[in-house]
Amino acid sequence: MLVSLLLCGCEGHFTTWKELNEDWLESNKANLGSDPYVVEEPYILPSGIQYEVYHRGYGAVPKPTVDPSTGYSSQICVAYSGNLIDGTEFDSSGDSAIWLSLGDCIDGWKEVLGTMPQGSHVKMYIPASMGYGSDGSEDFKGNFVVPPHSTLIFDVELVDVTNY
């Protein structure tokens, strides 16, 4: 509801929504690590991504990769949910984990999941520049699923990794 009110009130330029997302991401830094289930110090990357680790895999298990020279990437099996800052869920794997190619994922996922071994559980706060940017993401009817300039909040369990 908040999203639709903000988007309609800014004459299609998404300026207010962009500012709200940037402010939210900045203020979120103070809350990082406050969840008692976070097992490591939270991370704030140069790209602006913030993330918390709830579990970091087991031992010598594979980490997903993307090889920019060949385009080959790991196949990852993930259970996840994705939300906007107002709590709207825009995507999820549903009741079970699904297989994806890491190379087809948004840059924020590539950056964070590339450091996580199989079995990890993380929560990521991804700025628009590492997500869907100023374009957002539309459904097949042209309706925004993710509005432009949106911060993305993902809870991701990296269930399995297959490297080629």
Side-chain angles (χ1 to χ4, degrees):
M1 174 89 119
L2 173 64
V3 172
S4 61
L5 290 173
L6 291 171
L7 299 181
C8 294
C10 60
E11 301 175 25
H13 293 100
F14 299 96
T15 304
T16 303
W17 182 244
K18 178 181 179 183
E19 291 169 359
L20 280 172
N21 277 266
E22 289 169 351
D23 292 347
W24 186 93
L25 196 58
E26 184 61 33
S27 68
N28 187 60
K29 290 177 184 177
N31 298 323
L32 287 176
S34 62
D35 186 325
Y37 296 104
V38 172
V39 297
E40 297 179 8
E41 284 294 314
Y43 296 86
I44 301 173
L45 304 177
S47 63
I49 295 172
Q50 304 168 17
Y51 70 98
E52 301 168 304
V53 178
Y54 291 95
H55 179 73
R56 184 178 290 275
Y58 296 104
V61 294
K63 293 180 182 177
T65 61
V66 176
D67 184 340
S69 64
T70 63
Y72 291 117
S73 71
S74 299
Q75 298 299 305
I76 57 174
C77 183
V78 290
Y80 73 95
S81 63
N83 295 78
L84 302 175
I85 63 169
D86 69 353
T88 302
E89 184 175 273
F90 64 87
D91 195 10
S92 84
S93 60
D95 293 335
S96 60
I98 62 170
W99 284 93
L100 303 167
S101 171
L102 184 60
D104 294 336
C105 295
I106 60 172
D107 290 341
W109 274 43
K110 292 175 194 171
E111 187 167 344
V112 174
L113 294 181
T115 68
M116 295 287 123
Q118 174 181 312
S120 295
H121 179 193
V122 298
K123 189 165 190 178
M124 300 180 274
Y125 307 91
I126 301 174
S129 62
M130 298 297 288
Y132 295 105
S134 60
D135 294 334
S137 177
E138 299 178 357
D139 64 15
F140 68 95
K141 294 181 180 179
N143 299 313
F144 282 110
V145 176
V146 176
H149 308 291
S150 291
T151 295
L152 309 176
I153 304 166
F154 282 102
D155 187 294
V156 181
E157 293 181 57
L158 185 56
V159 177
D160 199 357
V161 175
T162 300
N163 288 325
Y164 296 101

